[in-house]
Amino acid sequence: MAARAAAARPTLGDFARHAALWGGAARGLLVRRTRTALEPTIARARQIYGPAGATWLQSKSRFEWPSGAVLYFRHLDNDADADLYQGHDYTRVYVEELTQFPSPGPVDKLKATLRSAAGAPCRFRATCNPGGPGHAWVKARYIDLGPHEKGAQPFRNPFDGSKTTLERQFIPARLADNPRLLENDPLYVARLQQSGSRELVRAWLEGDWNVIQGAFFDKWSNRNIVAPFTVPPTWTRLRAFDWGYAAPFSVGWWAVAAEDTPAGGGVILPRGALIRYREWYGCTGRPGEGLRLEAEAVAAGIKERERGEKITGSVADPSIFRQDGGPSIGERLIKAGVRFRGADNTRVGKAGALSGWDQVRARIAGTELGPMLVVFDTCRDFIRTVPVLQHDPMRPEDLDTAAEDHVADETRYACLSRPLNPGPPPPPPGPLDGWRFAPRRSNEWKVL
């Protein structure tokens, strides 16, 4: 999973070997997000599998070998598509361009189909390039673990109590690893450099997973991350909250700088800057999967984390006060001792400078003095999820809500609770300002 090499070739070659070894027990599924995206892979598969005697069945979108081995080609876009595969069994599942999936949900569901009554070894393999809506979760799950790492959580066999872990292996590939391509097409790199930004091309050529291409918050930089320091007790502190049960919830604790403050590394926090000094992200460790805590348990966790602090403001997604036949989430939190008020939930809207995402962007960009929004480097889930968020392809002014956006939403609530001054105050009114033409009275002026 790295550079822009012929990613389909290892996948197709792997199944060819698997089919030769296991015959009719070899059953494979290869998916991409769209049917159109599969066409180049199918064309290449015909070149590889035809000489081996495999037949392409267009109506069934699959290759069949004389031995009975079969490889299906399908598209997979969302959880509903993945649900259609319940009850299927495969010995190989391949996913091409894994980073095109905003969340791992649909892909993870396919792993339940990996089983073999004949004892054939079952494997999941994926290929991709850096960038795309799923960059963050793919990087966290596979790249950051290193080239070869076993899963951190052991799995217990319910029949004999034994424990095992699933291995994850990242195999980096760079264009330099494919000299034959460069020999046959020496202008490939030149054309590649015309296909995207400098950062994206570097990511493709070098397999650089630290590049953030097409980021929604494109002004984010290392100066927005600071080492923890003791927040003065006189500074205003506020709490922001985005509710989640099956999906993660996010609680952020923010301080407001009371004066221009050095924050180390040459960073100055201007007066009024927001500092995220603590967070609680209700996630199991699997991106997009919540802890399933009741409101009362969340309230207890909040109180424990802010024990001894004075929180002067507390905002949350106003939907927590929605009633559906019983006490709302907001009411249950209040009863458990944690009070919130409904936040301004403006995302894009007509509010101009007060639009939610505009406020977050303006604070990230900051002033000539320094950033107006920083996070402690201990706020790992903010750093993991927010900087890599992408634009909604159907609504570029908004971010892609299919990605892991819970921390970003909570940050927006905090920013809108302390909106930046949209600009200098208007000039004092002149002698005719305040007078408007009243159309109901022909040719008459009046003060409105």
Side-chain angles (χ1 to χ4, degrees), residues 7 29 36 43 45 60 118 121 148 191 201 270 312 343 360 384 419 434:
L29 173 68
T36 301
K60 297 182 179 179
H148 188 274
R191 290 194 299 272
V201 172
T312 57
V360 179
R384 178 180 64 84

Side-chain angles (χ1 to χ4, degrees), residues 156-162:
R156 180 180 177 276
N157 187 320
F159 299 103
D160 62 12
S162 62

